[in-house]
Structures are given as structure tokens and as C-alpha cells.
């Protein structure tokens, strides 16, 4: 059952989250929440075992030397007319294949292990290029997580317009222990101040299946690019007022819509997506618990947490209604790992 809260005081209300985090902001890796009293373990990608190369068989000089007999004398013969061979028909070239999907890194524990991490540096291909610069700035530390956002201007953007995801997919495929985190809007015109009444109409259309085909197209594109294990941060900060994909105008329709999107994307053959439910910290416009769509369609419970409003101490951010402590407690009670896709 969704929980509600009394209207917030000014000190409790979380400010409207920024639509896109600033450069240098860390993209958090989902962290499992252990049961009470049990130590958390950090997932560490499995290290591939090097294979011993097969040595080529050696051949002794004696075996390599062949004796050529002298030609025997023979009677000259009439030269034969050379025969013209019919050229063989050319073979049809093989059709291009879909890039092989990388193996999802296996989780393991270890006291000295460092959790995979990364940072949001830009939504486009330049974000991939900047990762090497950040790695050098960190003294050569390898980034294992890439984080980007699909534009929410038009539906073709949300489907993953051709070329937009190519560089990100290549980076992910290059090493098996990497992770791609992708924020996906649930509505077009996502930052155009669409009024609540219109959002309510859109949510009810969405709950009836009007937009399912856009998310099937996105899932097929991701699988085709060889990144079927992408972490999908779907409809983030839905408890606020910034985005057209917000939950407040009709929470029931919003939850139904989320479930339709997840079911649609999971129906695409080859997919291994994980879906991250990420509200903003605090109550915001509505309690984020009212938007939670259910355990069957949520793999990770995230939270975007910024150091705002001004003057709110960290302890208050932890203890406020729908704050950091409630986030952790909620995830634990639902058996979900946690993440912080945006913070700062």
C-alpha cells in the first residue's frame, strides 16, 4: 500500500531536481542492501583467466628437406591444347551479424575490492571521450560505469535515434565488466512545462497502451547494439514537478504505465535489462512511495539526492520524511539493491 505524508514544511520539501546532472557528477552503481545485521558485500566483476597459447608443432630440418629425383628421358609428345576452365560462381557474402552481447559481470565479494563507478560527463558521444580524461585525472583509475540520458524532446529520441547510442554501446562491449546506465524519459516534450491536466490525459492514454511501441523500438535497438543488460533508469524523479513523465497528476495511471513499459521491453528476445525506480529525495510534489509500481517490475530502488534546500543538514536529509533513511529501509523491506544515479 502506498504511504502518504502530511504536507511538508519548508525545511522538509526537496527542491525540484535538475533535469540533467552537472558534468563530473558520479553515476552510482546499484549497491545491494543486506538484511539487518548482515554485512554488505561489494559486487566485483569476475577477472577472466588467461589461456595458455597452443605451441605450434616444430619440424626437424631433415623432415623439411625433400630429395628431388632427376627427370627420366622421354619421347617428345605433341603439346596438348590447354583447356579453358569455367570460373566458379561467386559466393554470396555472409550477412552482417549483430554485435555479440557482453557477459554481465559476476558479483563477488572481497575486502580489498573497489565497487565499479563512473560519472556523467555528457549525454552524447563526447561523454564517452571524456571518460579517459577523467580516468587520467583520477590517477589512472579505470571507470567501469558509463551514464547517459536519452533526450526527451520527441518520441524518436526516446526510441534511441540512430547513432546516438553507438559510441556508448561500443564502450560497453569492449570489456565484459563494464556497465551502461541509461536514463529513459516516459513522455515526449518531457521538459516543456506541460500542465497537470494534460499530463493526466497522457498518463491515462499511456496506461491503455498508446505508447508501448516506442519502448519496444528502444529495447530492440539496445539488443541490436549488443547491450541487452543496460540498466534503465525509467521516468526518474517522477515525484517532482519538472518532467512531463511525472507521477503526481495520476499515480495509479503512472504505475500502470511503468508496468506496461517494463513488460514491453522484457518481451524483446535477448534482453537482460534491469529497471531502476529513482525518485528525488524527500516528499517533493507527492510521496514517492505512492508512485512505486511493485516489486515485479522494479530491480533497483534508486534516489537522486542533492544538497538542497539550502540550510538542510545532512542528518536532516537522512531523517526527513521520504529521505535517505526511508529510501534504504524501503529497499531492504522489498529485497532490492539501492543506487544513487544523481547526487551532488
Amino acid at each position: 500500500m502506498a504511504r502518504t505524508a502530511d504536507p511538508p514544511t519548508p525545511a522538509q520539501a526537496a527542491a525540484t531536481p535538475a533535469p540533467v546532472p552537472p558534468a563530473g557528477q558520479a553515476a552510482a552503481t546499484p549497491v545491494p542492501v543486506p538484511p539487518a545485521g548482515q554485512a554488505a558485500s561489494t559486487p566485483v566483476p569476475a577477472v577472466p583467466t588467461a589461456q595458455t597459447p597452443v605451441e605450434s608443432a616444430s619440424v626437424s630440418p631433415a623432415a623439411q628437406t625433400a630429395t628431388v629425383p632427376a627427370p627420366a628421358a622421354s619421347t617428345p609428345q605433341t603439346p596438348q591444347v590447354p583447356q579453358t576452365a569455367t570460373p566458379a560462381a561467386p559466393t554470396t557474402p555472409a550477412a552482417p551479424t549483430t554485435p555479440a552481447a557482453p557477459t554481465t559481470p559476476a558479483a563477488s565479494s572481497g575486502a580489498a575490492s573497489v565497487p565499479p563507478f563512473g560519472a556523467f560527463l555528457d549525454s552524447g558521444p563526447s561523454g564517452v571521450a571524456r571518460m579517459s580524461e577523467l580516468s587520467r585525472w583520477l590517477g589512472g583509475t579505470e571507470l567501469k560505469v558509463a551514464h547517459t540520458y536519452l533526450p526527451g524532446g520527441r518520441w524518436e529520441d526516446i526510441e534511441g535515434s540512430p547513432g546516438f547510442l553507438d559510441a556508448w554501446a561500443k564502450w560497453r562491449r569492449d570489456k565484459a565488466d563494464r556497465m551502461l546506465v541509461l536514463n529513459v524519459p516516459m513522455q515526449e516534450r518531457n521538459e516543456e512545462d506541460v500542465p497537470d491536466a494534460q499530463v493526466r490525459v497522457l498518463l491515462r492514454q499511456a496506461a491503455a497502451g498508446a505508447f508501448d511501441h516506442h519502448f519496444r523500438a528502444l529495447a530492440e535497438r539496445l539488443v541490436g547494439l549488443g547491450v541487452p543488460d543496460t540498466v534503465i533508469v525509467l521516468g526518474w524523479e517522477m515525484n517532482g514537478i519538472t518532467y512531463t513523465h511525472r507521477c503526481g497528476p495520476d499515480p495509479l495511471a503512472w504505475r500502470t504505465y511503468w508496468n506496461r513499459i517494463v513488460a514491453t521491453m522484457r518481451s524483446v528476445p535477448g534482453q537482460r535489462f534491469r529497471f531502476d525506480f529513482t525518485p528525488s529525495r524527500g516528499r517533493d510534489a507527492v510521496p514517492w512511495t505512492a508512485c512505486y509500481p511493485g516489486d515485479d517490475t522494479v530491480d533497483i530502488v534508486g534516489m537522486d539526492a542533492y544538497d538542497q534546500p539550502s540550510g538542510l543538514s545532512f542528518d536532516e536529509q537522512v531523517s526527513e520524511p521520504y529521505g535517505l533513511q526511508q529510501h534504504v529501509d524501503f529497499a531492504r523491506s522489498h529485497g532490492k539493491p539501492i543506487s544513487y544515479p544523481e547526487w551532488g
Side-chain angles (χ1 to χ4, degrees):
M1 178 180 295
R3 290 177 286 179
T4 59
D6 294 330
T9 65
Q12 292 173 329
T16 302
V20 178
Q25 174 186 302
T29 303
V31 180
V33 179
Q38 179 178 320
S41 61
T42 304
V44 179
V47 179
T49 304
Q51 296 182 344
T52 304
V54 178
E55 297 291 335
S56 300
S58 59
V59 181
S60 66
Q64 293 174 331
T65 304
T67 303
V68 181
S74 60
T75 303
Q77 297 181 356
T78 303
Q80 299 292 322
V81 178
Q83 300 294 320
T84 303
T86 303
T91 57
T92 303
T97 58
T98 300
T103 303
T104 302
S108 62
S109 60
S113 62
V114 176
F117 71 95
F120 173 77
L121 302 170
D122 189 78
S123 292
S126 60
V128 179
R130 291 173 182 171
M131 293 178 73
S132 60
E133 300 173 18
L134 178 58
S135 180
R136 286 194 297 271
W137 185 77
L138 293 171
T141 302
E142 184 179 4
L143 304 183
K144 297 294 184 69
V145 180
H147 186 191
T148 189
Y149 292 69
L150 287 177
R154 295 293 178 263
W155 280 116
E156 52 264 34
D157 299 325
I158 297 171
E159 292 177 359
S161 56
F164 183 83
L165 291 169
D166 291 8
W168 297 98
K170 181 182 183 305
W171 178 90
R172 168 64 185 95
R173 293 194 311 267
D174 282 348
K175 289 191 177 181
D177 59 352
R178 289 175 171 176
M179 177 187 299
L180 176 60
V181 178
L182 179 65
N183 279 50
V184 177
M186 293 169 67
Q187 288 286 353
E188 66 175 352
R189 301 171 56 207
N190 199 38
E191 298 183 45
E192 295 187 13
D193 298 321
V194 177
D196 279 356
Q198 189 173 348
V199 170
R200 189 174 299 111
V201 171
L202 290 170
L203 285 174
R204 291 172 183 176
Q205 291 174 347
F211 309 124
D212 290 359
H213 59 288
H214 298 298
F215 296 94
R216 175 176 292 278
L218 172 61
E220 290 173 346
R221 187 174 301 280
L222 290 169
V223 171
L225 286 170
V227 286
D229 58 350
T230 299
V231 176
I232 306 293
V233 185
L234 182 63
W236 69 101
E237 298 177 7
M238 75 299 293
N239 56 322
I241 60 173
T242 300
Y243 300 116
T244 306
H245 67 213
R246 60 189 179 271
C247 166
D250 192 333
L252 176 59
W254 192 93
R255 296 194 303 268
T256 303
Y257 183 27
W258 169 289
N259 290 333
R260 290 194 70 99
I261 292 172
V262 173
T264 297
M265 295 187 71
R266 284 179 175 171
S267 71
V268 172
Q271 67 80 34
R272 301 196 304 274
F273 303 124
R274 287 182 291 166
F275 292 88
D276 188 328
F277 171 83
T278 298
S280 55
R281 195 201 76 241
R283 189 182 189 279
D284 215 317
V286 293
W288 50 261
T289 52
C291 308
Y292 187 71
D295 291 345
D296 290 344
T297 55
V298 172
D299 299 293
I300 302 159
V301 177
M303 179 163 282
D304 286 352
Y306 289 92
D307 191 13
Q308 56 187 24
S310 177
L312 194 66
S313 71
F314 182 73
D315 286 345
E316 290 171 317
Q317 294 176 36
V318 171
S319 61
E320 68 174 327
Y322 308 102
L324 296 172
Q325 185 63 57
Q326 187 166 345
H327 167 230
V328 172
D329 293 343
F330 182 90
R332 179 183 289 115
S333 69
H334 289 262
K336 305 294 182 182
I338 61 173
S339 71
Y340 299 95
E342 296 182 27
W343 59 272

